[in-house]
Amino acid sequence: MSDFLMVTDLGIEGLSRLIDLAGDVKADPSRVAGRLAGAKIGLFFQKPSTRTRVSAEGAAADLGAHPIVLRNDEVGLGRREAVEDVARVLDRYLDLLAFRVFDHGDLVAIARHADAPTVNLLSDLSHPCQALADLQTIAENRAVAGTILTYVGDGNNVCHSLMLAGAMSGMEVRVAHPPGYAPLDAITEEATTLAVATGGAIEVGTDAQELVAGAHVVYTDVWASMGQEDQAEERRRVFAPYRVDEDLFGLAAPDAIFLHCLPAHRGEEVTAGVLESPRSRVFDQAENRLHAFKALLLHLFDAID
Ligand code: CP
Ligand code: NVA
């Protein structure tokens, strides 16, 4: 059994198989119902969550596993108890540890001190479970390889996972960010290397109009992530030219779809018109968090046919 801290942990073939499995699980949930009977899955949240918590808890239940949700005001990760001690204790009770944390380093420490698979439910560095649902949603609309996806906004956790997952899937991933808000160089470099292997491409720049032109998928995320609330005002000013509005979305391919990991702030990173347009797939994308997480659990428990 392995960990899932970054989408790259799956490998290129593994990611492709997992997206196919997520599609199969969505088409026929009964095929895998109850398959993880008896397993106990911990879901820990150091930050708020709607989609991740409910999709993960629901996925575990559908597979017959027992989810146990832990909140940080109970656990006090790194405050009430050392991160490595929390990991070692939970490892004695649970078959899988899934954590949403501020500091990705905490996830690495948990994975190191627990034998059970450790899953990243979002960290400051990445949001790999989201990227699985993103790819599944794209696959429902067009062939993933060769897709041009433009991410507009902050070079954040969601952007990082999308760059890596897109590069692993042969996509051309373009990132349009305000000056000073680029994705981490290390992620851009890793994604670029992966893209060479798959026939994909990575382009990072600040000209949103140029980078959205001709895209098949336009994607954005909040301007201020959880934990950056004190920067929200400054970010509203800096990111305003990067709002996905009808004009910007209109530069994409005529049949382009719009994606957003949600929660969305209408009138900030996206207009209500784009979010609610017939070409928006954001609620399919949210639904796919459930199917993709089931596929991930089946993979991590080696419970695939
Ligand atoms: N997209 C996403 O992860 O949503 P939540 O923060 O509500 O879990
Ligand atoms: N970038 C956002 C994603 C929320 C799902 C955050 O980290 O808050």
Side-chain angles (χ1 to χ4, degrees):
M1 293 223 261
S2 49
D3 299 315
F4 185 62
L5 302 192
M6 299 293 283
V7 69
T8 45
D9 291 341
L10 291 172
I12 289 173
E13 287 301 317
L15 175 61
S16 167
R17 277 198 304 271
L18 202 135
I19 300 306
D20 288 346
L21 177 63
D24 293 346
V25 163
K26 184 175 185 176
D28 183 8
S30 67
R31 221 189 83 208
V32 292
R35 197 167 288 188
L36 299 186
K40 291 187 286 296
I41 290 174
L43 303 168
F44 168 92
F45 292 90
Q46 205 175 32
K47 309 185 193 188
S49 172
T50 302
R51 279 144 292 272
T52 305
R53 176 182 168 174
V54 179
S55 63
E57 197 167 341
D62 285 350
L63 295 174
H66 183 73
I68 298 174
V69 177
L70 295 152
R71 289 161 42 115
N72 195 42
D73 55 11
E74 298 159 332
V75 177
L77 190 71
R79 282 185 295 106
R80 180 171 180 266
E81 190 161 11
V83 174
E84 48 268 41
D85 290 354
V86 172
R88 284 187 288 190
V89 170
L90 293 180
D91 193 39
R92 300 289 178 110
Y93 303 137
L94 301 169
D95 301 299
L96 182 139
L97 310 181
F99 277 69
R100 169 169 286 198
V101 295
F102 283 98
D103 180 357
H104 190 82
D106 285 347
L107 272 173
V108 174
I110 290 160
R112 196 180 309 127
H113 288 93
D115 291 331
T118 303
V119 172
N120 179 358
L121 297 179
L122 181 146
S123 69
D124 55 348
L125 180 66
S126 62
H127 195 3
C129 294
Q130 180 66 51
L132 299 179
D134 299 344
L135 287 188
Q136 184 182 356
T137 310
I138 294 166
E140 289 172 346
N141 287 275
R142 52 175 296 115
V144 173
T147 291
I148 302 173
L149 179 149
T150 303
Y151 173 94
V152 184
D154 189 19
N156 62 15
N157 45 11
V158 168
C159 175
H160 288 159
S161 291
L162 203 51
M163 290 171 76
L164 294 169
M168 291 167 77
S169 308
M171 289 168 53
E172 178 177 332
V173 182
R174 306 173 182 168
V175 177
H177 65 86
Y181 294 88
L184 288 178
D185 288 344
I187 297 286
T188 302
E189 282 158 24
E190 188 176 3
T192 303
T193 303
L194 287 163
V196 169
T198 63
I202 297 291
E203 193 177 351
V204 177
T206 56
D207 188 331
Q209 280 74 22
E210 192 181 297
L211 290 162
V212 167
H216 305 116
V217 182
V218 178
Y219 194 123
T220 192
D221 182 17
V222 292
W223 291 341
S225 285
M226 292 180 276
Q228 297 174 334
E229 289 79 7
D230 58 335
Q231 302 170 28
E233 205 179 308
E234 163 77 356
R235 284 171 173 260
R236 266 195 286 275
R237 194 180 55 72
V238 172
F239 281 78
Y242 292 82
R243 174 175 301 117
V244 179
D245 58 14
E246 286 75 351
D247 288 345
L248 187 59
F249 192 46
L251 299 174
D255 60 347
I257 59 168
F258 174 74
L259 298 180
H260 190 311
C261 57
L262 305 179
H265 299 112
R266 289 168 175 78
E268 290 195 19
E269 73 275 4
V270 60
T271 59
V274 171
L275 189 77
E276 304 290 353
S277 90
R279 288 198 273 133
S280 170
R281 296 288 182 275
V282 299
F283 296 106
D284 292 341
Q285 189 185 359
E287 178 190 331
N288 287 338
R289 294 293 308 276
L290 172 71
H291 310 299
F293 198 76
K294 275 191 206 177
L296 178 68
L297 290 179
L298 291 166
H299 163 74
L300 291 173
F301 280 96
D302 203 10
I304 303 168
D305 294 330

